[in-house]
Amino acid sequence: LLKIMSEMPADKKKSLKGWYFFDWANQAYALTVMTVIAPALMASLYNLATGTQSGDTFYAYVLTFSMIFVVLTAPALGVIADKMPVKKKLLKWYTIAGIGFTAMMGAAPYFGSQGYIILAMMYTIGTIGFTGGNVIYYSFMPYLAPKNCQDHVSSWGYAYGFMGGSLVLIFHLIILLGPFTWDTNFRLAVIFATTALWWWGFGMMMFKWTPEPEIPSNMEWKGITNATKVAYSQVFNTFKEVKKFKVLALFLVAYLLFYDGVNTIASMASAFGESVLRIDQSMNVLLLLTINIVAVPMTIVFGKLADIRGTKFALMLALVIYCFVAI
């Protein structure tokens, strides 16, 4: 596999590197905002405004709402990305929304008792931008390398993401704990602003280096209304046909449970630490940073394990470990 990857043309390597760096870029949002800062901050602002300790529950409702929106739109987005040469255009729209609303989250603490509502609205749109963009981002992968290299490409994409996310989180930890004269609200504003800048700066590499994939379809972009109609028509037909493909249907159900299970733990950890375990914010950040640093070599190890023993073996081993730890 390494020989195949090393023999790829220079333009293909550059295209793949641009794709890797987009994960490096947007993991700043996934790690700093979604996993560490926003859940704990939202729970804290809610607790302060209401005089309760149920901020983690409020955050769960906000996260659920944003995920429902993604669930309703993601299948149609996938259809559009597969059938029309507009992957980069869609990815750009979602990325701009995510970056813009990430930067604006820093203003939430300055709204006093209404801060948690402002943060919830900004966070919802930012998360839709991040998650919806990822649907399009992942659809690039089959066009970037040969089929037998997909495990390798996927594992290195995750490694880049964890590395980029961990580096910017270290910087944010310095801002939180450093000997600056700034108040806490200003520190948080700086964290949200630099997250947006990191996402924008490194994300641009994909838009510059990774071309729009050539797809075997003659469908043209005729506006959002036409694209939406075509997409949901295809989604409806797929649901009618899926019962003919029992293995695929079972896989989709299993993936739903797997994806939501992993993401629920990752997304709720910080809010749980803030509201239930009462962990200090800096300790919360250190714990989650440690997890992501450990994840960097493990993505590569499990990628190599998939090459040697097969993807299913590597996945099942990871799931057994994860289920044990979750319990």
Side-chain angles (χ1 to χ4, degrees), residues 29-155:
Y29 183 85
L31 182 53
T32 290
V33 177
M34 282 188 78
T35 307
V36 180
I37 301 297
L41 177 60
M42 199 181 302
S44 176
L45 290 173
Y46 181 88
N47 292 342
L48 195 64
T50 62
T52 67
Q53 283 298 320
S54 55
D56 55 331
T57 304
F58 174 75
Y59 169 73
Y61 281 122
V62 173
L63 182 65
T64 300
F65 177 80
S66 61
M67 289 297 106
I68 287 173
F69 182 88
V70 173
V71 166
L72 294 174
T73 57
L77 269 178
V79 171
I80 293 170
D82 285 343
K83 291 187 173 292
M84 301 175 191
V86 291
K87 284 183 173 64
K88 288 183 74 171
K89 184 182 290 187
L90 291 172
L91 182 60
K92 187 177 291 186
W93 289 348
Y94 274 96
T95 301
I96 289 170
I99 290 170
F101 282 91
T102 296
M104 288 189 282
M105 286 181 207
Y110 292 99
F111 282 85
S113 61
Q114 300 299 306
Y116 74 95
I117 299 173
I118 301 297
L119 181 59
M121 292 190 312
M122 301 297 180
Y123 178 78
T124 298
I125 300 173
T127 301
I128 289 169
F130 168 77
T131 314
N134 269 357
V135 173
I136 307 300
Y137 166 72
Y138 293 143
S139 72
F140 277 79
M141 195 171 76
Y143 303 95
L144 296 172
K147 188 176 181 180
N148 60 341
C149 297
Q150 296 296 299
D151 284 330
H152 176 90
V153 169
S154 179
S155 61

Side-chain angles (χ1 to χ4, degrees), residues 261-317:
V262 171
N263 274 355
T264 297
I265 291 174
S267 300
M268 290 301 299
S270 182
F272 182 75
E274 165 70 28
S275 285
V276 181
L277 302 180
R278 311 289 179 88
I279 296 175
D280 178 74
Q281 187 179 50
S282 58
M283 179 56 70
N284 231 343
V285 176
L286 280 170
L287 285 169
L288 291 158
L289 176 60
T290 303
I291 291 164
N292 279 270
I293 290 173
V294 170
V296 174
M298 286 300 102
T299 55
I300 299 169
V301 167
F302 272 83
K304 290 187 180 297
L305 184 63
D307 291 340
I308 297 167
R309 293 292 304 273
T311 306
K312 189 174 181 180
F313 175 83
L315 177 60
M316 294 308 294
L317 177 62

